[in-house]
Amino acid sequence: VSASAPHPGTPSLVCRARAPSPVMSRAAGYDRHITVFSPEGRLHQVEYAYQAVKKNQNVTSVALKGEDCVVAVTQRKVPDKLMDKDFVTHIYNITPNIGALMTGMSPDGRALVFKAREIASKFKDTNGYEIPVHFLALKIANIGQVYTQHAYMRPYGVSTMLFSIDDEKGSSLFQVDPAGMYYGYKACAAGTKDQESMNALEKIIKKKDLKLTETETIQQAIGCLQAVLGMDFKPADIEVAVVCKNRHGVIRLSEEEIDTHLTAIAEKD
């Protein structure tokens, strides 16, 4: 037998080069490093960051763009009865006119909000006008992307929805994911039941006879989240934020206003 020929019981070189299964990749330690690709071309730690958005708080969020407004709705879960519910929030102001809905790990969301505020503040100091929401989304996405490249960092376990009324483009809605991808949306969702929510929002967008005024947009967004989760909300169960052309800044609805919309939704059904 020649030296180059394989032994009868030895697998061929082709078999040896076959890529391992995802389970084998994880077992081989490819999921222990953010910066190391698995043989399938995956970054397992980044994929785990997406799972943190879905599973960490067990919360679902939706946002819907209307004709001259954007509405963001998310669940509010107070983990302890002794806690003050006013300190439990997923909705933040980046600037007076740009709102952010953070879904996933709350500490990561808060940290990213403070970075976004710093970026927005520096932009205004340098340029003399407020940062456009699409440029802020790009800057936040850049931070997320860098955090997938360095071994001494981990990705933020949070999905960011930015909404505003832009001076040039009107109502604007952007979503930034943990890997640093960002897109503009007509409607988007994040969290535990994000895919079911996206399907429900798609049906709303496709309704040609539906005029998405401010009131209608709020009720459609709340109704969508109710339908996906299969539950009737109480005013304290959700947070609702609105930006609208005829109102200045990001408006958070009070429990009384939310109750009015919930009653109107129940009467429609």
Side-chain angles (χ1 to χ4, degrees):
V1 181
S2 67
S4 60
H7 192 272
T10 306
S12 69
L13 292 175
V14 175
C15 292
R16 287 180 190 173
R18 187 182 298 150
S21 69
V23 175
M24 287 176 65
S25 292
R26 288 194 288 272
Y30 287 104
D31 67 336
R32 295 181 188 176
H33 303 281
I34 295 170
T35 55
V36 178
F37 283 101
S38 74
E40 302 89 33
R42 296 164 65 179
L43 291 169
H44 289 289
Q45 284 293 331
V46 177
E47 291 179 18
Y48 295 165
Y50 282 91
Q51 291 304 311
V53 173
K54 280 177 171 283
K55 297 176 180 177
N56 189 269
Q57 297 278 329
N58 198 25
V59 162
T60 304
S61 308
V62 299
L64 177 61
K65 191 164 77 168
E67 292 177 355
D68 56 1
C69 64
V70 186
V71 177
V73 184
T74 187
Q75 291 174 272
R76 174 188 275 175
K77 292 186 177 180
V78 182
D80 193 322
K81 289 182 180 178
L82 297 176
M83 288 176 66
D84 185 345
K85 68 177 179 3
D86 292 336
F87 287 85
V88 179
T89 184
H90 299 287
I91 295 174
Y92 300 86
N93 274 63
I94 306 299
T95 70
N97 298 310
I98 299 176
L101 172 52
M102 316 299 283
T103 309
M105 299 174 69
S106 293
D108 284 18
R110 188 184 65 247
L112 197 54
V113 162
F114 274 85
K115 286 202 172 190
R117 286 173 177 168
E118 189 178 357
I119 291 166
S121 177
K122 285 181 178 177
F123 183 94
K124 189 168 185 180
D125 286 345
T126 305
N127 298 286
Y129 62 95
E130 193 172 284
I131 188 169
V133 65
H134 66 86
F135 189 66
L136 180 61
L138 168 64
K139 287 291 188 181
I140 294 174
N142 285 347
I143 292 170
Q145 194 278 330
V146 166
Y147 277 36
T148 67
Q149 288 184 292
H150 293 281
Y152 59 88
M153 299 175 179
R154 68 161 176 79
Y156 285 101
V158 69
S159 173
T160 306
M161 296 180 196
L162 297 170
F163 49 96
S164 179
I165 300 296
D166 190 80
D167 291 339
E168 295 179 359
K169 299 181 180 180
S171 54
S172 301
L173 172 63
F174 290 85
Q175 186 173 22
V176 186
D177 68 20
M181 292 286 288
Y182 84 102
Y183 293 105
Y185 282 89
K186 295 176 182 175
C188 60
T192 308
K193 293 198 172 182
D194 57 348
Q195 192 55 55
E196 295 93 327
S197 300
M198 291 293 275
N199 294 339
L201 288 166
E202 195 175 325
K203 290 177 184 176
I204 294 170
I205 295 296
K206 283 182 177 177
K207 290 179 183 175
K208 292 183 179 178
D209 57 339
L210 185 64
K211 194 172 182 181
L212 288 173
T213 60
E214 181 185 345
T215 302
E216 187 63 35
T217 308
I218 293 169
Q219 291 176 9
Q220 287 290 340
I222 295 172
C224 168
L225 194 57
Q226 273 194 152
V228 167
L229 297 173
M231 60 189 291
D232 292 325
F233 290 137
K234 294 174 184 174
D237 292 340
I238 55 173
E239 291 182 274
V240 182
V242 185
V243 285
C244 196
K245 272 187 180 177
N246 56 20
R247 291 206 273 180
H248 180 71
V250 179
I251 310 294
R252 294 185 193 216
L253 299 193
S254 65
E255 288 191 9
E256 291 76 19
E257 290 174 302
I258 293 171
D259 190 38
T260 302
H261 288 295
L262 289 171
T263 304
I265 292 165
E267 287 172 355
K268 279 184 186 178
D269 296 340

